[in-house]
Amino acid sequence: PAGARQPQGASEFDDAIARMSKSRQDWVGGDGTRALPADQSHKVRKDDEYKSAAGDPSDRRVEALPMREEKTSSGSCRILTAHDRPITCLHLSADGKTLYTCSKDGEVCSWVVPDGTRLKTLSGHKGAVWSCSALGEFLATVGADQRLLIWESETGKQIAEAVDLGILKSVCWGPDGKLATSSSGFASTPAALSVWRLEDGKLTAGPSVCAPALPSKPLQVRWPRKSEKFVSGHEGGEICLWNSSCELLKKVQPHTARVIGIQLSIDSEMVVSASLDMTARVFKISDLKERACFTVDRPLNDAAMFPVDNDRAPIEVLCAGGQDARDVAISNVSTKGQFDIVVLEEGTKEPLLTFGGHFGPVHAVVALPDQSGFVTGGEDGTVRLNIFS
């Protein structure tokens, strides 16, 4: 793979994206902060390194204490505050014991679940990190710097990269060392869905499909680990099923606005989509037949399913979203309750539960596989690890 380099125009693009959102300090104030060195590029930081950081705040980045805990009506919530920009993605390892968090601050953090201890911070991207995916000993990350990076999960060592790929919005590991990426394009680079393979530490490009052959820009991609088919969510509201050769198998258009988030069920038999049209929809992956639809009163950025015991059991989903940060800043519309996490059950209209805590739109939510809780990440830069009692 080519050496690291900054694609032309990527920094300007990311600067524009960053200006659309407030920093965490703007949302929640500067209490409990400590100073860190500003230049952390291509470094791995362990949690205890934060304890010795000190210096002049004028030339250092300010970062909040890594974790605090509060009691809730349903149990406890561990508040993880290692990022100083909005959270863009949450990802759980297959066993549910490690949480990865991505942010517009350009870093990826790993945490122990459920106690919230931070393991490492990976700094290698030159802009917002939009997505990550873990598979065994490897972690893949993608970002606004048009780069796909592969890391060793345990050591944090960067082992492979691909560059100049357009603005990469999503990545997901599939079977046999394959992974899929979605790119919304940039400048002369068209939007694309691409398949890659990691073999003997080397990353090679496989099949891809580019605009205008795509129904619209792909924003999300998910690949069941034991399947040769993967699913994508698109800007035009489409959900698509592809084979590993990037051949379109089926397309449906259930949403009337952008599909911001898609997630697989624990058994990878179903996928749930979240859209700005204020709906979350559940489909069978085999044929994209819709199983359930959930309607809320706010734009959705993500949704996750709690595990179900059998095909007849009602589906429960966690819905996350809220009014866009830019709209919050310029409108007088009340945001009361807009940033709450809503739990809905198939066949009912009223929420089963709601969970507050974030001070801005919620961008990501994942359910713990043992049903012991869930995790959220928001515009305020915090990650909330909710554990049921």
Side-chain angles (χ1 to χ4, degrees), residues 182 193 214-216 218-223 230-234 237-242 248 250 252 259 262 271 273 288:
S182 65
L193 281 171
L214 291 162
S216 62
L219 302 180
Q220 293 290 327
V221 61
R222 293 293 181 271
W223 198 336
F230 64 90
V231 183
S232 59
H234 294 255
E238 304 94 347
I239 305 292
C240 296
L241 184 66
W242 310 82
L248 181 62
K250 186 162 186 178
V252 295
V259 177
I262 59 174
V271 62
S273 59
L288 294 187

Side-chain angles (χ1 to χ4, degrees), residues 12-347:
E12 289 85 352
F13 178 88
D14 200 57
D15 288 344
I17 291 295
R19 287 195 296 270
M20 293 179 183
S21 304
K22 298 179 181 180
S23 68
R24 174 162 44 80
Q25 284 75 17
D26 291 333
W27 286 105
V28 300
D31 294 340
T33 60
R34 52 177 74 171
L36 291 176
D39 184 10
Q40 297 290 349
S41 179
H42 292 283
K43 292 184 180 180
V44 180
R45 300 200 306 277
K46 295 183 179 179
D47 188 59
D48 56 7
E49 293 181 38
Y50 287 84
K51 298 176 182 178
S52 62
D56 182 3
S58 65
D59 62 1
R60 291 172 179 263
R61 191 179 51 165
V62 177
E63 186 161 310
L65 295 171
M67 187 191 72
R68 66 183 189 273
E69 185 170 354
E70 62 185 33
K71 296 296 183 182
T72 68
S73 59
S74 61
S76 64
C77 179
R78 282 135 202 182
I79 304 168
L80 317 180
T81 55
H83 294 287
D84 60 6
R85 299 296 294 169
I87 304 302
T88 57
C89 175
L90 301 174
H91 178 76
L92 283 169
S93 60
D95 61 8
K97 295 181 180 180
T98 305
L99 171 71
Y100 297 92
T101 60
C102 303
S103 171
K104 286 184 179 180
D105 64 11
E107 297 185 335
V108 180
C109 293
S110 59
W111 312 79
V112 177
V113 177
D115 63 22
T117 301
R118 182 168 40 176
L119 296 172
K120 290 182 177 64
T121 298
L122 306 180
S123 301
H125 283 280
K126 301 295 184 180
V129 184
W130 289 115
S131 178
C132 71
S133 180
L135 177 65
E137 60 184 304
F138 299 115
L139 178 72
T141 62
V142 296
D145 58 1
Q146 308 189 63
R147 300 163 71 209
L148 163 62
L149 303 183
I150 307 296
W151 312 74
E152 290 180 348
S153 302
E154 196 68 27
T155 66
K157 178 182 177 182
Q158 184 185 317
I159 61 171
E161 71 171 349
V163 300
D164 296 341
L165 304 176
I167 307 302
L168 292 163
K169 303 296 288 187
S170 183
V171 62
C172 188
W173 287 102
D176 304 322
K178 293 193 288 283
L179 65 159
T181 59
S182 65
S183 164
S184 60
F186 185 71
S188 61
T189 303
L193 281 171
S194 303
V195 171
W196 305 81
R197 181 184 290 273
L198 183 70
E199 193 169 16
D200 298 327
K202 296 182 178 180
L203 189 63
T204 56
S208 65
V209 56
C210 302
L214 291 162
S216 62
K217 289 182 180 180
L219 302 180
Q220 293 290 327
V221 61
R222 293 293 181 271
W223 198 336
R225 297 287 163 80
K226 296 181 179 180
S227 174
E228 288 297 320
K229 303 174 184 178
F230 64 90
V231 183
S232 59
H234 294 255
E235 188 176 63
E238 304 94 347
I239 305 292
C240 296
L241 184 66
W242 310 82
N243 63 21
S244 58
S245 298
C246 287
E247 296 170 333
L248 181 62
L249 302 177
K250 186 162 186 178
K251 180 187 77 172
V252 295
Q253 192 168 3
H255 293 287
T256 59
R258 281 182 290 166
V259 177
I260 303 298
I262 59 174
Q263 287 197 44
L264 300 175
S265 59
I266 297 299
D267 60 7
S268 294
E269 295 294 324
M270 294 183 287
V271 62
V272 58
S273 59
S275 172
L276 297 183
D277 67 5
M278 304 187 187
T279 67
R281 298 173 184 266
V282 178
F283 307 87
K284 289 185 177 180
I285 288 184
S286 58
D287 57 6
L288 294 187
K289 182 178 180 181
E290 188 171 306
R291 161 77 187 266
C293 176
F294 303 87
T295 302
V296 294
D297 61 352
R298 69 207 66 179
L300 291 181
N301 295 322
D302 206 3
M305 285 179 282
F306 282 117
V308 293
D309 297 329
N310 56 69
D311 291 341
R312 296 184 179 181
I315 296 171
E316 292 182 2
V317 298
L318 293 150
C319 295
Q323 191 178 20
D324 186 89
R326 291 167 292 184
D327 297 333
V328 170
I330 63 175
S331 71
N332 295 319
V333 177
S334 172
T335 59
K336 184 178 181 180
Q338 279 278 305
F339 311 137
D340 291 350
I341 304 301
V342 180
V343 181
L344 296 167
E345 184 179 73
E346 182 181 8

